[in-house]
Amino acid sequence: MGNRLANILSFVLHPMLMPTFAFIILLFSKSYIGYTVSIYGKSILISLIFILTFIIPALLIGLLKKTNVISSLALGKREERTYPFLIVALFYYLTYRLFLNYQLPNTFYTVILSSAFVVVITLLINFFWKISAHLMGIGSIVGAILALNVILSIDYLYLILVSLILSGLLGSSRLKLEAHSPAQVYAGFGVGFFITFILFFFS
């Protein structure tokens, strides 16, 4: 794998995009969740989640870079990750508060709250060790899909296999770019997976 492909995968599978991917999976799943929201409603919800959990936090993190609070958008230095993680966690929580105004299935709220919880855990671990946020993000997706597969009795086998393959490719990308050690990659996936699976399964 070349550096260019590794960078593309790291961007396309950015951790801040995971809530958007989770909503897309839920809204287009062949279950009562997918059938309770109209096409127009789906487009509104996906647009809102994308803007609130990716676009606005990304712009604010870009402002941190412009004002030299952080030296790189890649957040390669562990000590520079605190403010960006706080921004992301704050907007995840604000998104949750906003979505309370809508009558949505409980699973949607679990997606947002579990995402916020994973970011907070990442932030706490980051005070001591640089764990992979990318792998925590995609690990959360795998955990959510597996939990939904059990809870909703939906056949997500192919989606689980695809997400596991993408997890492996993303982990290889982070190692190729020398952004993390193997331990940081494995730990990131494991923490993201187990936290999200437990929160979904018992919510």
Side-chain angles (χ1 to χ4, degrees):
M1 180 184 295
N3 283 357
R4 183 177 181 182
L5 178 57
N7 278 310
I8 291 173
L9 285 170
S10 294
F11 177 77
V12 173
L13 300 176
H14 194 279
M16 289 196 303
L17 287 172
M18 294 302 133
T20 301
F21 291 149
F23 261 65
I24 291 173
I25 291 169
L26 280 175
L27 288 168
F28 290 95
S29 63
K30 294 181 179 179
S31 70
Y32 77 94
I33 294 177
Y35 298 129
T36 54
V37 184
S38 67
I39 293 296
Y40 176 75
K42 290 176 182 180
S43 63
I44 293 297
L45 286 173
I46 292 172
S47 297
L48 279 175
I49 201 78
F50 179 67
I51 292 169
L52 292 171
T53 64
F54 181 75
I55 296 297
I56 297 178
L59 290 174
L60 291 175
I61 293 171
L63 183 61
L64 292 180
K65 170 65 171 65
K66 190 172 182 63
T67 55
N68 297 318
V69 175
I70 59 175
S71 59
S72 171
L73 294 176
L75 303 178
K77 298 179 180 178
R78 180 177 60 83
E79 58 274 12
E80 293 185 355
R81 298 170 119 202
T82 301
Y83 288 128
F85 285 173
L86 283 173
I87 288 172
V88 173
L90 174 62
F91 272 89
Y92 282 11
Y93 178 71
L94 291 176
T95 302
Y96 166 73
R97 296 294 300 180
L98 174 64
F99 276 37
L100 286 177
N101 297 319
Y102 299 87
Q103 293 183 339
L104 298 173
N106 185 60
T107 309
F108 288 96
Y109 302 116
T110 304
V111 167
I112 304 172
L113 282 180
S114 63
S115 298
F117 190 70
V118 167
V119 174
V120 171
I121 294 299
T122 307
L123 173 62
L124 294 176
I125 294 175
N126 186 71
F127 285 123
F128 310 98
W129 193 50
K130 184 188 172 186
I131 196 168
S132 174
H134 276 79
L135 270 295
M136 285 190 80
I138 200 164
S140 297
I141 287 288
V142 178
I145 294 172
L146 187 59
L148 290 171
N149 185 81
V150 176
I151 297 168
L152 301 179
S153 298
I154 304 174
D155 186 7
Y156 274 148
L157 177 59
Y158 290 113
L159 195 55
I160 291 171
L161 291 175
V162 169
S163 63
L164 286 172
I165 292 171
L166 290 175
S167 299
L169 291 173
L170 181 60
S172 298
S173 298
R174 305 309 289 162
L175 294 174
K176 176 64 178 179
L177 297 173
E178 299 182 351
H180 295 286
S181 67
Q184 293 166 348
V185 166
Y186 297 137
F189 181 87
V191 172
F193 174 86
F194 284 111
I195 287 177
T196 305
F197 181 84
I198 291 171
L199 288 176
F200 265 82
F201 198 78
F202 293 102
S203 63

